[in-house]
């Protein structure tokens, strides 16, 4: 799977656990040296990062003799390096979203075409409810590739006659993922002789799929193991809640419009379900960053209904110096580029607040941004906040790294994080006034979203055990 959150070993798991450091080291050098010895001397280049790890994952699974390998596509499908598996047992396509548009195309139809590239002749494939046109494209791809394609019934269908299925993952959108997982599991079990899990009606390759709906796969009664599997599923960095005293961190690596919408629904519900406060205030903080060619203005606009008191922007670097943290270093992005992106996000957020200011009583008076406070390296960690006629109403701040952003938000109230340096670390009044509110609030609720890499960096600092 990709990307990893804290350590690269998370990408290659056996029985749910990242492979050990010893195994990773052993197989890394074995694959690296073999490639080095056999590469074309004229066009001598090693596979790029993701390709190398894909080759290594296949080698690990073969050498460790796993019974079943679940391989997640990196980007798209058709041209992805994972797509060299000629005869998988089954293929699945989850809910489509707009992402990686520079590579996959800028419409759902183009993206569906790329995803359908993983279909294989005679190998059953499943998908979940999709918009009409993208589903048609998936149908056409299945027909081209002589692949029997089925639509998963809703999870409700699996619950008929038995109690409601409990999911370990929060969020309504996980129900369609669970339905897909059940179909993929059933197909593999049937291939291995398991009976009584609902038969698929064969779709002959010659059948004209394009002109009619994708046939519905049968629902079936989930086995006890399946019920337990759905209940026990954990997925770090997705709808994850960490309660650290008065500070509650809500972590979700959403980074597309559809996943941010799902994240907002989850956060509002989760924050609502927390114990009601009778003895003090609640402060809500957004910690956000986005990478690549994503439309951050569109993502930020979707986050407005969460009613944040502060929005904090920082790059995905855990520390300003990333020398001691190679697993989370991105050599394609400089700190300067990342900070420029954060400043753009800050301006966008301020503009969105201004536009919404006349409609919502909870918002501070409209802000007017006229230039930016320049960095003062000698004075410490806070880089930039928008100057305003009333600086105490400046709810958007930029920090140069995650550690400083998290420390400012927590204000020494999270036992996993050191308190921010007291002497002149936050010279701007907005940061100082926010610090007072954060220190005195009965509860601080922080949503970390916009990038899986941001969430991974936050997890590394908030749950040090993940780095072991």
């Amino acid at each position: 799977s990709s990307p990893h959150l804290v350590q690269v070993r998370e990408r290659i798991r056996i029985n749910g656990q990242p492979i050990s450091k010893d195994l990773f080291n052993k197989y890394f050098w074995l694959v690296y040296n073999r490639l080095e010895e056999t590469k074309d001397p004229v066009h001598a280049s090693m596979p790029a990062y993701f390709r190398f790890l894909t080759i290594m994952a296949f080698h690990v699974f073969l050498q460790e003799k796993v019974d079943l390998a679940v391989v997640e596509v990196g980007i798209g499908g058709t041209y992805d390096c994972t797509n060299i598996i000629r005869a998988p047992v089954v293929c699945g396509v989850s809910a489509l979203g707009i992402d990686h548009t520079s590579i996959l195309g800028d419409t759902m139809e183009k993206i569906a075409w790329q995803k359908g590239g993983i279909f294989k002749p005679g190998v059953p494939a499943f998908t979940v409810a999709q918009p009409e046109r993208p589903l048609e494209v998936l149908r056409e791809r299945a027909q081209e590739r002589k692949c029997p394609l089925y639509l998963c019934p809703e999870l409700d269908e699996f619950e008929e006659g038995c109690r409601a299925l409990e999911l370990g993952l929060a969020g309504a959108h996980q129900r369609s993922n669970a339905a897909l997982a059940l179909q993929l599991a059933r197909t593999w079990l049937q291939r291995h002789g398991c009976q009584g899990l609902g038969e698929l009606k064969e779709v002959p390759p010659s059948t004209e799929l394009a002109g009619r709906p994708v046939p519905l796969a049968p629902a079936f009664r989930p086995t006890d193991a399946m019920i337990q599997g759905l209940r026990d599923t954990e997925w770090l960095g997705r709808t994850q809640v960490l309660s650290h005293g008065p500070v509650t961190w809500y972590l979700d690596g959403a980074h597309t419009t559809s996943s941010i919408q799902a994240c907002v629904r989850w956060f509002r519900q989760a924050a609502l379900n927390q114990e009601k406060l009778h003895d003090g205030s609640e402060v809500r903080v957004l910690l956000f960053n986005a990478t690549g060619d994503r439309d951050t203005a569109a993502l930020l606009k979707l986050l407005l209904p969460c009613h944040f008191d502060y929005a904090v922007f920082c790059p995905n670097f855990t520390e300003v110096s990333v020398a001691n943290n190679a697993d989370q270093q991105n050599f394609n992005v400089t700190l300067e580029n990342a900070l420029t992106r954060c400043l753009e996000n800050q301006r966008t957020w301020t503009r969105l607040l201004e536009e919404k200011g006349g409609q919502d009583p909870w918002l501070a008076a409209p802000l007017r941004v006229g230039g930016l406070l320049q960095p003062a390296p000698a004075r410490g960690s806070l880089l930039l906040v928008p100057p305003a006629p009333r600086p105490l109403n400046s709810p958007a701040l930029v920090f140069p790294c995650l550690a400083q952003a998290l420390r400012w938000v927590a204000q020494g109230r999270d036992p996993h994080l050191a308190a921010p340096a007291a002497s002149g670390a936050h010279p701007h009044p907005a940061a100082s006034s926010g610090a007072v509110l954060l220190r005195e609030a009965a509860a601080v609720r922080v949503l970390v979203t916009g990038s899986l890499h941001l969430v991974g960096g936050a997890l590394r600092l908030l749950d040090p055990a993940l780095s072991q």
Side-chain angles (χ1 to χ4, degrees):
S1 63
S2 64
H4 60 274
L5 292 170
V6 178
Q7 297 195 74
V8 68
R9 296 183 294 112
E10 297 164 29
R11 294 173 181 243
I12 305 174
R13 296 170 179 261
I14 296 179
N15 295 335
Q17 296 303 309
I19 63 172
S20 68
K21 288 182 179 178
D22 286 346
L23 267 190
F24 187 92
N25 189 41
K26 168 187 165 183
Y27 287 122
F28 176 92
W29 288 114
L30 203 154
V31 172
Y32 186 93
N33 291 333
R34 184 71 55 83
L35 289 169
E36 188 67 50
E37 289 159 12
T38 56
K39 70 184 179 187
D40 181 337
V42 180
H43 307 99
S45 64
M46 293 290 273
Y49 186 83
F50 185 80
R51 289 185 178 193
F52 182 92
L53 288 172
T54 302
I55 296 166
M56 182 175 154
F58 290 146
H59 188 69
V60 170
F61 294 148
L62 289 166
Q63 293 301 305
E64 295 295 312
K65 298 180 171 55
V66 300
D67 304 293
L68 158 69
V70 180
V71 179
E72 184 202 25
V73 169
I75 292 177
T78 300
Y79 304 116
D80 193 77
C81 63
T82 58
N83 200 25
I84 61 165
I85 303 172
R86 292 177 189 171
V89 172
V90 62
C91 295
V93 176
S94 57
L96 297 169
I98 296 281
D99 199 14
H100 302 294
T101 51
S102 60
I103 301 169
L104 304 181
D106 55 1
T107 67
M108 292 276 270
E109 289 83 354
K110 290 175 184 173
I111 290 168
W113 187 90
Q114 295 279 0
K115 302 279 184 187
I118 66 169
F119 297 157
K120 302 289 183 287
V123 173
F126 295 87
T127 189
V128 297
Q130 310 281 9
E132 187 180 354
R133 269 300 298 145
L135 185 60
E136 279 177 24
V137 173
L138 288 177
R139 267 186 228 144
E140 289 159 9
R141 292 289 270 161
Q143 185 187 18
E144 280 168 26
R145 304 174 86 80
K146 300 181 171 51
C147 159
L149 175 65
Y150 301 91
L151 198 61
C152 295
E154 298 290 332
L155 197 60
D156 304 17
E157 302 289 320
F158 294 89
E159 295 173 334
E160 282 186 7
C162 62
R163 67 179 189 276
L165 292 167
E166 188 186 331
L167 301 187
L169 302 178
H173 58 292
Q174 295 295 356
R175 290 181 67 80
S176 77
N177 289 336
L180 179 59
L182 287 172
Q183 293 292 355
L184 300 178
R186 182 201 57 76
T187 305
W188 190 86
L189 289 166
Q190 278 197 324
R191 171 72 73 88
H192 288 76
C194 252
Q195 299 303 314
L197 289 171
E199 298 301 315
L200 283 175
K201 293 180 177 62
E202 286 302 318
V203 181
S206 58
T207 304
E208 182 66 34
L209 280 177
R212 63 193 190 86
V214 173
L216 200 63
F220 55 88
R221 192 184 182 93
T223 64
D224 290 346
M226 288 175 175
I227 292 168
Q228 183 183 343
L230 292 176
R231 188 176 60 237
D232 294 347
T233 299
E234 291 181 341
W235 198 2
L236 294 184
R238 279 79 165 185
T239 61
Q240 182 182 0
V241 181
L242 294 175
S243 295
H244 291 181
V247 186
T248 308
W249 305 92
Y250 300 82
L251 306 161
D252 193 278
H255 51 273
T256 65
T257 50
S258 53
S259 59
I260 287 280
Q261 285 168 328
C263 170
V264 166
R265 286 194 294 272
W266 161 72
F267 173 73
R268 295 184 75 181
Q269 191 61 45
L272 202 68
N273 288 346
Q274 289 284 334
E275 195 177 327
K276 292 290 174 286
L277 303 165
H278 305 293
D279 57 344
S281 61
E282 170 184 309
V283 176
R284 287 189 177 188
V285 182
L286 169 66
L287 179 55
F288 180 90
N289 192 39
T291 59
D293 53 4
R294 297 183 175 91
D295 181 353
T296 48
L299 302 183
L300 288 170
K301 190 170 186 177
L302 293 170
L303 289 159
L304 281 177
C306 294
H307 296 209
F308 293 107
D309 300 289
Y310 292 93
V312 175
F313 303 97
C314 72
N316 293 342
F317 304 120
T318 46
E319 306 280 354
V320 175
S321 166
V322 290
N324 62 345
N325 184 23
D327 275 15
Q328 291 181 313
Q329 192 164 354
N330 183 344
F331 293 96
N332 298 318
V333 180
T334 66
L335 179 59
E336 187 180 1
N337 289 344
L339 278 172
T340 301
R341 186 79 178 263
C342 292
L343 291 170
E344 288 167 4
N345 292 339
Q346 180 194 47
R347 282 192 287 269
T348 300
W349 184 256
T350 305
R351 177 176 54 76
L352 288 167
L353 291 188
E354 286 179 353
E355 290 170 0
K356 196 135 170 79
Q359 307 158 31
D360 262 342
W362 63 273
L363 278 170
L367 302 170
R368 285 182 287 283
V369 182
L372 291 156
L373 184 71
Q374 289 307 305
R379 290 198 294 179
S381 62
L382 180 72
L383 265 196
L384 304 138
V385 293
R390 292 171 299 283
L392 300 190
N393 290 335
S394 298
L397 294 85
V398 172
F399 289 89
C401 69
L402 255 164
Q404 293 181 12
L406 294 179
R407 284 184 201 122
W408 181 80
V409 171
Q411 287 297 317
R413 304 179 74 191
D414 182 331
H416 294 89
L417 296 168
S423 56
H426 306 299
H428 198 281
S432 305
S433 66
V436 172
L437 285 174
L438 290 163
R439 278 197 296 270
E440 293 180 353
V444 179
R445 308 207 191 284
V446 193
L447 175 62
V448 184
T449 193
S451 162
L452 276 167
H453 304 287
L454 179 79
V455 166
L459 269 174
R460 180 173 180 265
L461 296 164
L462 295 169
D463 188 354
L466 293 174
S467 300
Q468 301 307 311

